[in-house]
Amino acid sequence: MIILRKDATQAQINAIIGAVGHYGLSTLLVVGATATTLQLIGEEPTDLETFLGGMPGVEEYRPVNLPYKLISRKHHPEYGMNGASKIISVGGVDFGGEKPVIIAGPCTVYNEKQVMETARIAKECGADMLRGGAFKPRTNPHTFRGIGEDGLKMLAEARAETGLPFVTEALSVRDVELVAGYADMIQLGTRNSQNQDLLLEAGRSGKPILLKRGYWQTIEEWLQSAEWVASTGNLEIVLTERGIRTLSNPTGGRFSLDVQAFVTVRTLTYLPVIGDPSHSAGKWQLVPGNARASLAAGAHGLELDIMRQEEQGTIEFVVNGDTRHAGFVDYAQGLRPNVFAPLMVQLREKYATVEPLPAIT
Ligand code: PEP
Ligand code: MN
């Protein structure tokens, strides 16, 4: 990383970029509140310090010894060490600021009425953003996979009516362009957290990315996944802790929400991090506790699965003009309005602002 002098001219910056280019390094200019830096992408040669030492415009060269240098807090003095995050703006909603961002919506999109009604519930209860999957990652190939582009259109209609921007998943490289054409933010799911081609393609779309933690990933591995996105020059990334595999599985929970991850991640990176209390829980009864725990433990927001009060059995969807029925994806974890509405009131009251971090030493 090169910290630029405050009075560095554009010509000097261009000369530095050209010079490191000879070493095969590309650069990312990051303008922060307290400093402007040139982040180096690629392997840094050992003689770079001597080489840069004499160049006008260079304040300091700091070799970076972390595998996730582009997104690390340590190497981004512009964010300071008091836990302040980069603000990621998605359709007018700011992640990483003072207020926790709450995303809510159906796990999966089936039909227009279902999406619109669920979006209205999200809006009426005060959610900031809408979620919903049109391309669904499934464990079993015999199960419903989502309705694809028709679902994206339904989400766009729900956005038009409610004014809520939406996030939806791109399941493969093949989907990215299509999803980017409709969505305000692209979700990359737990199963794809280490799919480097997809991380790159989604990054290149320039859209904000919601990056879930792989349920097997250490925090360092998760941050390196974010680093793949960042390496495209797209730093609009919101990390999402969605539960990891532990020993609680047989006793009810689907995964275990790693509540320690919020402070740890905020210490290691300047990117905002939210919690997904629904996918970590797998059961609606566990969701309110996980939601409160996430915000109490320092999350910048939440992503919640919700459903209509009357949802049960199967639901209608249309494919190629044929009306069919499917079971609900993640049925057991969706919050119905009788639980979601009071929970929202409580969360907004108790956690009106994002928890400050303990001082970082
Ligand atoms: C989802 O949010 O719909 C989803 C499939 O999440 P995850 O990738 O965390 O399982
Ligand atoms: Mn789901």
Side-chain angles (χ1 to χ4, degrees):
M1 166 178 73
I2 298 165
I3 303 176
L4 295 170
R5 284 179 57 98
K6 289 225 166 13
D7 59 2
T9 64
Q10 191 56 51
Q12 289 170 344
I13 297 172
N14 291 345
I16 298 166
I17 294 173
V20 298
H22 289 304
Y23 279 100
L25 297 166
S26 51
T27 54
L28 196 60
L29 184 76
V30 181
V31 184
T34 59
T36 300
T37 58
L38 268 181
Q39 304 298 322
L40 302 175
I41 303 173
E43 274 183 51
E44 296 170 37
T46 45
D47 61 340
L48 197 58
E49 181 154 23
T50 333
F51 177 73
L52 287 169
M55 287 202 78
V58 174
E59 171 79 35
E60 192 189 336
Y61 164 67
R62 281 192 207 161
V64 175
N65 53 4
L66 284 173
Y68 47 92
K69 53 189 184 174
L70 300 175
I71 62 157
S72 71
R73 181 177 292 284
K74 189 171 165 200
H75 298 289
H76 291 264
E78 65 272 22
Y79 294 103
M81 293 307 275
N82 66 354
S85 295
K86 178 175 169 65
I87 304 289
I88 311 292
S89 287
V90 181
V93 174
D94 285 351
F95 291 84
E98 287 255 290
K99 188 188 164 207
V101 171
I102 300 187
I103 308 170
C107 168
T108 303
V109 170
Y110 298 90
N111 64 59
E112 239 173 281
K113 185 163 182 281
Q114 170 242 357
V115 177
M116 196 60 88
E117 289 181 1
T118 314
R120 284 183 196 131
I121 296 166
K123 173 76 181 177
E124 279 160 22
C125 293
D128 304 293
M129 257 182 84
L130 184 63
R131 63 147 289 146
F135 297 94
K136 294 305 299 178
R138 303 306 305 273
T139 303
N140 185 317
H142 304 294
T143 54
F144 181 68
R145 302 173 190 195
I147 58 174
E149 186 170 6
D150 287 345
L152 300 176
K153 289 181 183 158
M154 292 170 197
L155 287 162
E157 280 167 29
R159 169 180 58 200
E161 189 195 291
T162 60
L164 300 178
F166 75 86
V167 58
T168 193
E169 181 159 350
L171 204 50
S172 80
V173 168
R174 193 179 56 227
D175 306 333
V176 169
E177 198 182 337
L178 182 68
V179 170
Y182 290 92
D184 300 282
M185 186 180 210
I186 301 178
Q187 177 165 315
L188 301 179
T190 193
R191 294 162 177 82
N192 269 316
S193 59
Q194 291 179 321
N195 179 341
Q196 73 189 54
D197 282 348
L198 179 59
L199 294 166
L200 291 173
E201 189 75 6
R204 287 190 203 109
S205 75
K207 286 276 171 183
I209 305 297
L210 185 154
L211 177 62
K212 298 246 191 151
R213 178 180 183 179
Y215 57 76
W216 59 89
Q217 273 188 316
T218 64
I219 286 175
E220 276 217 325
E221 287 165 348
W222 180 21
L223 295 178
Q224 287 171 85
S225 296
E227 188 82 358
W228 276 103
V229 178
S231 73
T232 67
N234 184 348
L235 296 172
E236 306 297 302
I237 306 165
V238 174
L239 297 162
T240 305
E241 162 55 43
R242 50 80 68 210
I244 52 174
R245 224 168 226 179
T246 64
L247 304 178
S248 70
N249 213 15
T251 56
R254 195 179 178 194
F255 296 92
S256 297
L257 182 75
D258 180 5
V259 285
Q260 293 177 176
F262 300 111
V263 166
T264 308
V265 164
R266 283 176 64 190
T267 308
L268 297 175
T269 176
Y270 55 81
L271 296 175
V273 55
I274 65 170
D276 177 343
S278 306
H279 288 82
S280 49
K283 264 181 153 180
W284 72 264
Q285 292 91 336
L286 304 176
V287 173
N290 279 0
R292 288 189 293 268
S294 298
L295 295 179
H300 288 107
L302 301 171
E303 184 181 29
L304 291 165
D305 274 12
I306 59 169
M307 61 167 85
R308 294 174 297 181
Q309 197 67 41
E310 68 271 22
E311 234 71 283
Q312 59 176 319
T314 59
I315 182 164
E316 205 172 279
F317 68 97
V318 177
V319 63
N320 300 329
D322 283 344
T323 300
R324 302 206 189 142
H325 287 81
F328 286 93
V329 180
D330 290 345
Y331 179 74
Q333 74 194 25
L335 294 182
R336 293 166 203 265
N338 65 340
V339 177
F340 176 58
L343 176 65
M344 285 295 286
V345 172
Q346 188 195 42
L347 294 177
R348 293 304 194 192
E349 234 171 63
K350 273 185 117 155
Y351 303 104
T353 54
V354 171
E355 287 293 303
L357 276 196
I360 302 169
T361 53

